[in-house]
Amino acid sequence: MPSWLLILIIGVVLLILGFSGVGSFLIWIGVAVLVVSLILGLLGRGRSSRV
């Protein structure tokens, strides 16, 4: 399971349990990790296709 998905799931569970500050922080971190991994994946795919 990808790390960003684990972080998002833990954040949502913490939001449901009432830890809204920590939960929303983890959700934002999960979204940031997802975006960075998508950008790096697209850059890596573009670089390998040119070779």
Side-chain angles (χ1 to χ4, degrees):
M1 192 177 293
S3 60
W4 60 268
L5 186 58
L6 286 174
I7 294 172
L8 284 176
I9 290 172
I10 293 170
V12 169
V13 168
L14 287 174
L15 276 176
I16 292 172
L17 292 177
F19 297 99
S20 61
V22 179
S24 63
F25 181 69
L26 285 177
I27 289 175
W28 281 111
I29 289 178
V31 170
V33 170
L34 170 64
V35 169
V36 168
S37 65
L38 285 175
I39 290 172
L40 291 177
L42 289 175
L43 289 177
R45 184 179 306 158
R47 186 176 304 141
S48 65
S49 66
R50 292 180 188 156
V51 173

